[in-house]
Amino acid sequence: MRTTPNPETAAPALAAPVPVIARPVRQGLWGLGVVALILSVSAAVSIGAVPIPLGTVWGVILDRVAPGLVTPDWSAGRAAIVWEIRLPRALLAALVGAGLALVGAVLQAITRNPLADPHLLGISSGAAFGAILALLHTGMFLGLATVPLLAFIGALCSTLLVLAVASFAQATSADRLVLTGVAVSFIVMALANVLIFLGDPRAAHTVVFWMLGGLGLAQWAHLIWPLIILTGAALYFRAVAGSLNAMTIGDETASTLGIPIARFRLTVFVVAALVTGVMVAFSGVIGFVGLMIPHIVRMIVGGDNARVLPAAMLVGAIFLVWADIVARTITRPEDIPIGIVTGLIGGVFFVWLLRRRRISA
C-alpha cells in the first residue's frame, strides 16, 4: 500500500528544520507574499530613468483594462512607458523568476542535491544553444515560437546528454550527477560560442548581451508562452509533490512506495527542461535564481514540496523583479544584464551556503 512520507523528516540536507506554523499564520504569510509581489511589480513600473508616480501607474493600467473607469491626466508618452515598456518587462521578470525558482526546487528534490539548479545541470546551457541557433543561423522560420521551440529542444537534448553521460560514467550519486551537468554545461556553452563566432558579427553583440540575461525586449505577445508553460508545469509538479517528497528520501524508499523511479525522474527532467527552455528563450541565461530561492523558502516553510514549490515561485518572482530594478537603475540610463546582478548575489549566497553546510556537518 502506498503511503506518503513525512515531508518534515525527508532529506535533511534539503529540509531546514522550522517550527510548525499554524494554518492562519501560513495564510497570512501567503497574503503578505501576494501583496509584496503586487507592490514589487508596481515599483518596477514606477522606478526608472523617468520616474512615474504610483498613482499614474495604476491609473494607466486601469484605463487600459477598463476604459472610461478613470479620467486620464497623464501624457501619452507616460502611458506608453507604463503599458508598452515597463509593465510587460516587470511581468516577464516575475514569470521568469517564478519558473527558475520552481525548476530549481524540483531539481534539488529529484537529485537530492541542494546545489542543483538549471544552470549547474546544463539545462540553461542547452536552452541557450538552441536560442542562439535560432537567432543567428536558422532564422525565425516558425515566427515567435521559433526561439522557445529551439530553446526547449536544446534544453531537452542537454538534459538527456547529462543523463546519458552519468549512466555511461556510472555517476549514479546525486553529487556526481551535478558534476556531470557542470561538465556537459561547459561543452554545450563551448559549442554555443562556436555558433556566435560563425554567426553574423553585427548580431553577436546582441546575442552576447542576451546570454548575460536581459528583459529589455519584453512585449505583451511574449508573455503568453512563459505563462502557459509555467502554469502547466506548476500544476504538474504540485500534483506529484508527494512523489518528490519520497524521492528526497532515496530511490529505494520511493520504489517501495510504488513510484517508477526511472520514468518519474525522466518526466521531471523533461518538464524542467521545457520550463527552462521557454524562460531562457525570452530572458537569456539568468543563473543562481534556482539555487538560492528554494533554500530561502525551505528555511521558512520546511521541506514539504507541496508548500515549497508554490512558495518558491512567489519568492522567485519577487526576487527577480527587484533584481531587474537594480539592473535598470544602478547605471541609469543604461541597463546592465540582469544575469550580472543575480550572479553577484548568487555567488555570495553560494559561499554562505557552503559555509553553512560545513558548519552543520
Side-chain angles (χ1 to χ4, degrees), residues 3-359:
T3 59
T4 302
N6 184 352
E8 299 302 333
T9 60
L14 295 178
V18 295
V20 178
I21 302 177
R23 183 182 181 90
V25 176
R26 290 202 305 267
Q27 293 175 342
L29 290 175
W30 272 108
L32 288 176
V34 173
V35 171
L37 178 58
I38 295 173
L39 293 177
S40 299
V41 172
S42 302
V45 180
S46 175
I47 299 172
V50 179
I52 299 176
L54 286 176
T56 301
V57 169
W58 280 102
V60 171
I61 295 174
L62 291 175
D63 184 61
R64 294 300 183 106
V65 174
L69 186 63
V70 296
T71 302
D73 58 354
W74 51 81
S75 65
R78 286 198 168 190
I81 291 174
V82 170
W83 188 257
E84 301 295 340
I85 300 176
R86 292 186 187 174
L87 184 57
R89 178 169 179 156
L91 293 177
L92 180 60
L95 290 172
V96 172
L100 294 178
L102 173 66
V103 172
V106 169
L107 291 179
Q108 289 171 14
I110 201 71
T111 63
R112 302 189 305 280
N113 191 313
L115 302 182
D117 84 332
H119 196 65
L120 292 180
L121 283 179
I123 301 177
S124 295
S125 301
F129 179 88
I132 292 170
L133 184 65
L135 292 171
L136 292 182
H137 295 279
T138 66
M140 309 296 283
F141 60 92
L142 292 177
L144 188 61
T146 305
V147 176
L149 178 61
L150 291 188
F152 164 63
I153 293 175
L156 180 59
C157 291
S158 180
T159 301
L160 296 178
L161 182 60
V162 169
L163 296 177
V165 172
S167 177
F168 174 77
Q170 297 182 346
T172 55
S173 68
D175 291 337
R176 293 198 173 193
L177 182 62
V178 173
L179 292 177
T180 303
V182 172
V184 170
S185 178
F186 279 120
I187 295 173
V188 175
M189 286 308 299
L191 295 176
N193 290 332
V194 171
L195 291 181
I196 296 175
F197 179 77
L198 297 177
D200 186 352
R202 294 171 296 182
H205 175 74
T206 301
V207 172
V208 170
F209 187 90
W210 172 86
M211 287 180 64
L212 297 175
L215 304 168
L217 300 179
Q219 302 176 20
W220 284 107
H222 293 168
L223 300 182
I224 187 64
W225 292 100
L227 177 61
I228 292 176
I229 298 301
L230 178 60
T231 301
L235 292 175
Y236 168 73
F237 287 136
R238 178 60 181 84
V240 299
S243 297
L244 290 173
N245 288 337
M247 293 291 287
T248 60
I249 303 176
D251 288 0
E252 296 81 3
T253 302
S255 179
T256 60
L257 295 175
I259 300 173
I261 303 300
R263 185 175 65 191
F264 179 66
R265 180 175 283 120
L266 179 60
T267 302
V268 168
F269 273 124
V270 169
V271 177
L274 176 60
V275 175
T276 304
V278 172
M279 300 306 166
V280 168
F282 292 109
S283 68
V285 180
I286 301 176
F288 289 105
V289 177
L291 174 65
M292 292 186 294
I293 302 304
H295 286 282
I296 295 172
V297 167
R298 290 191 187 97
M299 294 176 188
I300 301 173
V301 303
D304 185 1
N305 283 290
R307 296 200 298 264
V308 169
L309 300 184
M313 292 175 62
L314 181 59
V315 177
I318 296 172
F319 169 78
L320 203 62
V321 168
W322 281 102
D324 185 52
I325 293 175
V326 173
R328 288 191 292 110
T329 58
I330 195 171
T331 59
R332 68 173 66 178
E334 298 292 331
D335 291 3
I336 65 172
I338 192 174
I340 294 178
V341 177
T342 61
L344 289 173
I345 300 174
V348 174
F349 182 86
F350 195 84
V351 172
W352 173 83
L353 180 63
L354 291 176
R355 175 67 177 173
R356 179 174 178 268
R357 282 170 57 80
R358 179 176 178 82
I359 292 176

